[in-house]
Amino acid sequence: MQVRAGNAWRGLVHVALVAGLLAGCADGEDEAPASTSASADAAGGNGSGDVARSGGTIGAEGSACELPVTFDIAEDWAAESVDAAAGGAAEELADALLHQGPVTAACEVDAKPAGNIGFLRVWTGEPGDDDARTVLEAFVAAEDGVSNEKYGSFEAGGLTGAEVEYLYTSELLEETKKERALAVTTPDGPVVLHLGGMDTEEHEAMLPAYELAKRTLHGS
């Protein structure tokens, strides 16, 4: 069953981001660091091109987020695991907001320490027979306000994935902005990486970080 509650979560997070920025919220110093990346120099760059400089790798055991895949995050971005299995009456609603289509939020990589407003979010699901394109289409279909979807494919680290660019219109904020996501499947289940942003300008400014993650993606 497709779950559209992620749409409400997205709007609430968007508002919270703006409020936090204006209030001078924390810069992420207490969050767990990414592990040292062996591919930082090979896939990095200086941040002035289409691929950001690497700030380390997440996904492996002991990293900030343990996932079915590993990939590099941009320099100064901060990764934090999302606990989507909390119990309790009040927490059941929060848990529902962390599901979108066939996947559940597992990790947030925050761009704020690097000077941007947005997240690269990682969603994971249970093992199954669906290919990456099917998973990604279900993820997008579970989101209200999506239009102009453009799908493609890519290969990285021995994985074959699907990718989509689209427009997202927020009813809460009455604005339209660019977003994109990719999906791969692994023996431990599908993984979706989603890049949003406060607006299209912020989204485009964060694309080098998204490209870094895509190009360094490997099965863990």
Side-chain angles (χ1 to χ4, degrees):
M1 178 180 68
Q2 294 177 346
V3 180
R4 298 182 181 273
N7 198 49
W9 177 54
R10 179 201 297 266
L12 292 172
V13 170
H14 191 152
V15 172
L17 270 172
V18 177
L21 181 66
L22 294 176
C25 55
D27 61 6
E29 291 179 355
D30 295 332
E31 296 179 16
S35 63
T36 301
S37 170
S39 59
D41 292 334
N46 60 11
S48 62
D50 62 349
V51 181
R53 180 180 293 278
S54 174
T57 302
I58 63 170
E61 184 177 356
S63 66
C65 298
E66 297 183 10
L67 304 164
V69 296
T70 63
F71 61 89
D72 286 14
I73 65 172
E75 191 173 41
D76 294 329
W77 287 46
E80 183 175 15
S81 180
V82 175
D83 182 6
E91 291 163 335
E92 287 182 3
L93 175 59
D95 179 65
L97 297 178
L98 297 177
H99 292 79
Q100 184 166 323
V103 290
T104 300
C107 181
E108 287 187 338
V109 189
D110 189 357
K112 190 161 64 271
N116 294 108
I117 305 174
F119 293 91
L120 179 65
R121 290 194 172 92
V122 187
W123 305 68
T124 60
E126 296 297 324
D129 297 328
D130 290 340
D131 61 18
R133 174 68 178 262
T134 301
V135 170
L136 190 57
E137 288 180 344
F139 177 81
V140 173
E143 187 66 64
D144 290 329
V146 171
S147 63
N148 292 11
E149 302 97 317
K150 298 179 181 178
Y151 284 91
S153 61
F154 71 95
E155 294 184 2
L159 299 170
T160 299
E163 185 175 19
V164 64
E165 301 177 20
Y166 58 90
L167 297 178
Y168 167 72
T169 301
S170 169
E171 294 183 3
L172 178 65
L173 300 172
E174 297 183 342
E175 66 179 18
T176 298
K177 57 195 177 83
K178 291 183 180 179
E179 300 197 355
R180 68 187 63 202
L182 63 82
V184 295
T185 56
T186 77
D188 295 320
V191 178
V192 174
L193 272 62
H194 172 267
L195 180 69
M198 186 179 72
D199 52 30
T200 292
E201 183 178 2
E202 288 291 334
H203 174 80
E204 292 180 343
M206 296 186 293
L207 286 179
Y210 173 88
E211 287 296 328
L212 173 67
K214 183 173 74 171
R215 297 187 191 189
T216 58
L217 197 63
H218 287 80
S220 61

